[in-house]
Amino acid sequence: MNIIVLIKQVIDVELNLRIKDGALVEDGLNYVISSWDETAIEAALQLVETVGAGEVTLITIGPERASDALRKGLAMGADKAVHVLDSAFDGSDSFAYARGLAKLLETREYDLILAGKQAQDTDAGLTPSMLAEFLGLPQVTNIVKVDQAEEGKMVLHRKGDHGNEVIELTLPAVVSVNDSLNEPRLASLRGIMQAKKKPMETMDLAAIGGDASLVGESGRQTKIISLLEPEARQAGKKFEGSEEETSKQVIDLLLNEAKIFA
Amino acid sequence: MAKILVVAEVKGTEIKKPTLELLSHAKSLNIDTEAVLIGDGVSEQAGILAGYGARKVYLADDSSLGLYNTASSTALVLDAVKQSEASQVWLSASELGRDLTPRVAARLGVGALTDLTKLEVDGDEITAYRPSMSTKVIQKCGFAKEGIRVLCIRAGAFDAADAEPATADVVNLSLPEQDIRALVKEIVTESTGEVDLQEAEIVVSVGRGVKGPEGVDFVRPLAQVLGAAYGSSRAVCDAGWAPHTAQVGQTGKVVAPDVYFAIGISGAIQHLAGMSGSKLIIAINKDPDAPIFKVADYGIVGDLFKVVPILIEEFKKIKEA
Ligand SMILES: Cc1cc2nc3c(=O)[nH]c(=O)nc-3n(C[C@H](O)[C@H](O)[C@H](O)COP(=O)(O)OP(=O)(O)OC[C@H]3O[C@@H](n4cnc5c(N)ncnc54)[C@H](O)[C@@H]3O)c2cc1C
Ligand SMILES: Nc1ncnc2c1ncn2[C@@H]1O[C@H](COP(=O)(O)O)[C@@H](O)[C@H]1O
């Protein structure tokens, strides 16, 4: 099974993020593979192991530094990588990235495209399904389990609103993963060494046959006006003491201050 | 003229509360609003949508539509958009809405704004607010181009008003040809017929502090006496003590009830992302420094195994009084 994994390098959201004048303070930011994309890489590696044949190709559209994310994925065990690197993509939204990815993938052969259910920076969850639409492929988003996988066919569990939806899927298709699907492996030292020799192709917009008016600032459909600090919730009242006392104090507040049963 | 098409969602044959919130808000804006209703045995519900302000209901009621299917729903919504000439499509940020939104938007050739918690609407001029980067940042955002506005809005962003009696003006949609490449075969229902997390006014959630499946059962009567939905942290789902559908958080369900009880939950940022929109948060944790206390309105520092039985007793008395 030949699998494409879409990965995005994102700001490490575990770190402290500061906002000034409606934008992120660049200072001290760190960049990592979006955590759901690591889940997608792990899923791809496991699928190839299960089916017993095929290869895993990583693809990203991103700046120079995004090659670190590709190397890390290669170190986990992916076979090769494609880095679409062009400043024309700067300022893309999910729609513009999906357009770019569709252009690149239009001419490639694959059985499956795996992606994260959402990127940790945008938290949008748009790119995979938009790409599926542009490529005319079926989609299954937010999967929590791979039940069966064979050439041309999979049975997947998608996390739905009222339980897991069991989906029979005919390949090729676009599938996005929930992070509870697996525990991504750590790259071994050997993996890291091997990754240095694995093929990484760098392509610009012209090389993928892309159109500058459809990507980046000029191609994006949505815009971020500014970034704001979330309204911090005020820490309220905290009660310490015997459980009998504290419980009754809180119940009293619920009744008389919050009036929840009024 | 702006016109909104609300994509209605049902559980079984009942309209879900987030749909009513969208309709109520659209009505309060005085914008012409219609709805599209898809399901099996849902025809009767068109009247409810009308009661909440949908002037027209585009209906697809068929036995093949009982289980959500991306391809069919996309085709039906597109048909409704075309017939209604809507300039905006509003969806709920449920699992269904999140799956359908990008597909509908891409087919319309436009972008989408998802997971919105606040909205400013001036005709088709939209300014929206959405959490991103694990809720550490709020994006103030909008559209960069002309076109249909596709918005995916979180439950609890708006209040549901009261319905007024109305009869629906129903337009039947013709069924699209089924795309058999991705077919939902069944739903393995993990939930137990308890109160739905996104419908509930009170949510009781448990974390790893309950120690095991027995602990989950130990706290459950609290949810029952309050008529609350029962949720959990991801740690609890991953351990297999609760079904995945119970997970609250960034990768689980986003809830915004009137009251949220966090019991034995540390308050990791990914959990907070799913519940910090709650009106009132009550935390029970034995660690006085647990981060959950930073967002809790009322916090009890103590052993949940001692606190919860007292709460159950007291709430029982209140309910009976
Ligand atoms: C990409 C990503 C996505 C994630 N998405 C989610 C998500 O959607 N939802 C989610 O919840 N998590 C999510 N997580 C996981 C999250 O980071 C935390 O690991 C998780 O929320 C912790 O769960 P917990 O609070 O139950 O467990 P813990 O952090 O172990 O906390 C247990 C708490 O119980 C308290 N406790 C123990 N015993 C008692 C007692 N007897 N009485 C009272 N208190 C007691 C302890 O003091 C502690 O604070 C995600 C993580 C990642 C990386
Ligand atoms: N620039 C990009 N390059 C490669 N994959 C991407 C890119 N942007 C988004 N994706 C993929 O789409 C998923 C969802 O992204 P988003 O729509 O931003 O939430 C990510 O987890 C990636 O798998």
Side-chain angles (χ1 to χ4, degrees):
Chain A
M1 187 180 286
N2 289 325
I3 305 174
I4 305 250
V5 186
L6 305 177
I7 69 171
K8 189 177 186 198
Q9 193 193 42
V10 297
I11 289 167
D12 185 349
V13 296
E14 300 292 324
L15 297 182
N16 206 16
L17 303 177
R18 284 177 304 139
I19 294 167
K20 207 178 155 225
D21 301 331
L24 272 186
V25 177
E26 296 277 332
D27 231 33
L29 292 182
N30 187 34
Y31 293 88
V32 294
I33 302 184
S34 183
S35 114
W36 286 280
D37 299 353
E38 280 192 39
T39 308
I41 297 173
E42 177 63 36
L45 298 174
Q46 288 185 16
L47 278 168
V48 169
E49 282 158 19
T50 313
V51 179
E55 59 177 17
V56 176
T57 305
L58 307 176
I59 294 182
T60 197
I61 304 180
E64 205 78 56
R65 57 173 157 72
S67 60
D68 295 345
L70 293 172
R71 282 284 170 224
K72 182 166 178 215
L74 292 172
M76 284 172 71
D79 299 286
K80 53 190 188 178
V82 179
H83 186 180
V84 180
L85 173 65
D86 200 310
S87 57
F89 281 99
D90 293 355
S92 290
D93 64 354
S94 298
F95 185 93
Y97 279 131
R99 270 271 165 78
L101 291 165
K103 197 73 211 162
L104 170 69
L105 287 165
E106 214 170 68
T107 54
R108 301 214 166 207
E109 303 256 325
Y110 49 81
D111 300 299
L112 177 65
I113 300 173
L114 281 175
K117 77 172 274 251
Q118 68 201 68
Q120 275 184 301
D121 54 352
T122 63
D123 279 329
L126 294 170
T127 311
S129 307
M130 288 184 160
L131 172 65
E133 174 66 20
F134 295 148
L135 293 172
L137 294 178
Q139 75 186 50
V140 182
T141 59
N142 201 11
I143 66 158
V144 292
K145 186 171 165 192
V146 176
D147 216 5
Q148 275 177 52
E150 52 196 83
E151 291 297 338
K153 209 183 128 223
M154 293 175 91
V155 177
L156 302 169
H157 289 208
R158 154 175 204 277
K159 186 157 130 185
D161 289 303
H162 312 118
N164 286 351
E165 296 166 0
V166 182
I167 299 181
E168 259 180 38
L169 178 67
T170 306
L171 302 180
V174 178
V175 171
S176 78
V177 303
N178 184 291
D179 57 320
S180 62
L181 179 64
N182 60 45
E183 206 45 67
R185 67 193 70 182
L186 296 170
S188 65
L189 202 57
R190 198 163 144 249
I192 295 169
M193 296 310 290
Q194 283 173 337
K196 294 186 176 140
K197 290 180 232 122
K198 288 182 177 169
M200 174 140 57
E201 195 180 348
T202 305
M203 303 176 84
D204 62 10
L205 185 68
I208 65 169
D211 175 342
S213 69
L214 296 180
V215 301
E217 299 260 350
S218 35
R220 70 176 179 205
Q221 292 277 338
T222 58
K223 63 179 182 207
I224 295 173
I225 300 163
S226 63
L227 299 183
L228 315 169
E229 301 262 7
E231 276 172 44
R233 276 191 88 97
Q234 297 292 327
K237 302 180 178 135
K238 190 159 78 179
F239 299 95
E240 299 188 53
S242 86
E243 274 84 3
E244 283 76 19
E245 266 172 49
T246 53
S247 305
K248 297 219 165 105
Q249 279 166 318
V250 164
I251 291 199
D252 189 51
L253 282 172
L254 282 173
L255 293 178
N256 298 315
E257 188 182 86
K259 300 194 179 359
I260 62 162
F261 301 116
Chain B
M1 279 285 276
K3 186 181 216 180
I4 297 168
L5 179 73
V6 170
V7 177
E9 285 185 37
V10 292
K11 181 176 189 183
T13 55
E14 300 268 308
I15 304 286
K16 294 176 74 169
K17 189 165 149 229
T19 298
L20 304 179
E21 292 169 3
L22 297 185
L23 286 170
S24 301
H25 191 66
K27 189 175 176 192
S28 75
L29 294 170
N30 270 322
I31 297 180
D32 193 6
T33 302
E34 301 182 347
V36 50
L37 174 61
I38 301 167
D40 178 17
V42 295
S43 305
E44 304 254 310
Q45 305 294 315
I48 304 226
L49 300 175
Y52 279 85
R55 262 205 330 105
K56 209 178 252 182
V57 176
Y58 298 90
L59 175 71
D61 187 349
D62 189 80
S63 60
S64 67
L65 299 171
L67 297 175
Y68 167 68
N69 176 290
T70 311
S72 305
S73 288
T74 306
L76 289 164
V77 171
L78 259 287
D79 189 3
V81 171
K82 209 187 256 162
Q83 295 196 42
S84 68
E85 296 179 353
S87 58
Q88 299 182 25
V89 183
W90 289 17
L91 303 99
S92 306
S94 58
E95 302 298 357
L96 185 158
R98 287 178 175 154
D99 184 79
L100 188 56
T101 295
R103 196 85 198 199
V104 164
R107 190 157 304 170
L108 291 167
V110 298
L113 296 173
T114 55
D115 254 322
L116 307 180
T117 50
K118 206 173 119 191
L119 202 58
E120 289 158 12
V121 181
D122 177 9
D124 288 326
E125 210 47 61
I126 307 283
T127 308
Y129 298 81
R130 55 185 303 277
S132 68
M133 303 197 182
S134 288
T135 317
K136 286 191 170 177
V137 167
I138 305 296
Q139 289 181 352
K140 179 181 181 187
C141 49
F143 290 90
K145 287 190 164 47
E146 296 296 308
I148 295 177
R149 279 34 182 136
V150 180
L151 305 173
C152 184
I153 301 161
R154 279 197 185 175
F158 313 128
D159 292 325
D162 292 329
E164 283 159 29
T167 356
D169 177 5
V170 173
V171 177
N172 284 300
L173 298 173
S174 43
L175 287 184
E177 209 179 308
Q178 220 178 24
D179 183 341
I180 53 161
R181 293 177 298 172
L183 276 185
V184 182
K185 287 289 163 191
E186 58 175 327
I187 295 186
V188 243
T189 313
E190 295 175 311
S191 54
T192 49
E194 290 168 353
V195 185
D196 191 284
L197 273 172
Q198 279 162 324
E199 306 271 316
E201 275 151 28
I202 305 180
V203 172
V204 173
S205 279
V206 291
R208 190 146 43 198
V210 301
K211 305 279 184 322
E214 304 78 24
V216 174
D217 288 335
F218 183 83
V219 181
R220 193 185 311 272
L222 178 61
Q224 285 162 342
V225 65
L226 291 170
Y230 203 35
S232 72
S233 72
R234 189 173 105 189
V236 167
C237 301
D238 283 355
W241 308 340
H244 276 290
T245 44
Q247 183 180 323
V248 171
Q250 196 194 355
T251 32
K253 293 204 165 102
V254 176
V255 299
D258 293 337
V259 188
Y260 187 87
F261 285 85
I263 302 178
I265 293 178
S266 60
I269 183 131
Q270 296 90 353
H271 189 79
L272 300 186
M275 45 67 85
S276 52
S278 306
K279 293 203 180 78
L280 188 78
I281 296 173
I282 299 162
I284 303 168
N285 198 301
K286 67 176 184 190
D287 172 8
D289 298 321
I292 192 76
F293 287 124
K294 293 208 185 107
V295 300
D297 298 282
Y298 305 144
I300 300 178
V301 182
D303 182 356
L304 72 91
F305 290 99
K306 291 196 186 135
V307 174
V308 168
I310 300 174
L311 293 181
I312 293 172
E313 268 323 298
E314 292 296 320
F315 285 132
K316 266 196 193 141
K317 282 191 223 154
I318 294 166
K319 290 267 149 150
E320 281 160 13

